[in-house]
Every structure is written in structure tokens, then in C-alpha cells.
Amino acid sequence: MEITNIILLLVTCAISFGLGRTIMHLRNKKRQKQAEAQKAQALRNRLAEPESKNKSKRKRQLQQMDKGAGKP
């Protein structure tokens, strides 16, 4: 093989590898964003815990509910 063919082959391989890595990075980033959105949605949709019989735990639960209600 001639030197120009080898150089062309190396450049082509480098470009192909770079594009592949970029595409995979963007795809993984998109999947991660969707997974976080699903987790957030699941947290919003979960049922509230029943009120505890323990006085201090019930107080904490009420404080957490107040904090959650303050958010839009």
C-alpha cells in the first residue's frame, strides 16, 4: 500500500470513531435525562405515607408535607 492510502485510511478511521463516540454520548445523555424525568414523575405520583403513631415522626412528616406543598 502507498503512504497516501494508509494516511487516508487512518483519517477515515479516526473520523468514524469520533462520530460514533459523539453519537453514543448524545444518545446516553438523552436516555439519562428521560430516566431522571421518569424518576421525578414517580416521586410526584407516589401515595402519601399514612400518618405515623409516633409523635416525633408525625411532626417530621407534617414538616415534609409543608415543604412539598410550598413548591409549585
Side-chain angles (χ1 to χ4, degrees):
M1 288 180 82
E2 294 180 19
I3 294 178
T4 56
N5 288 342
I6 294 173
I7 292 172
L8 183 63
L9 180 64
L10 290 175
V11 169
T12 305
C13 288
I15 291 171
S16 175
F17 179 75
L19 283 174
R21 294 291 295 167
T22 303
I23 290 170
M24 290 302 293
H25 173 73
L26 294 175
R27 185 182 298 165
N28 289 340
K29 194 173 179 181
K30 182 179 176 184
R31 286 182 183 169
Q32 185 179 14
K33 196 174 190 180
Q34 287 175 344
E36 288 175 3
Q38 287 177 348
K39 286 180 186 177
Q41 186 67 32
L43 286 174
R44 278 183 255 145
N45 291 341
R46 71 179 176 181
L47 298 175
E49 286 185 39
E51 211 173 82
S52 176
K53 293 182 182 179
N54 183 329
K55 187 176 179 181
S56 62
K57 187 175 180 182
R58 184 171 53 241
K59 188 176 178 181
R60 263 195 321 265
Q61 284 177 335
L62 290 173
Q63 288 173 348
Q64 287 177 350
M65 286 173 41
D66 289 341
K67 283 182 184 178
K71 292 181 182 178

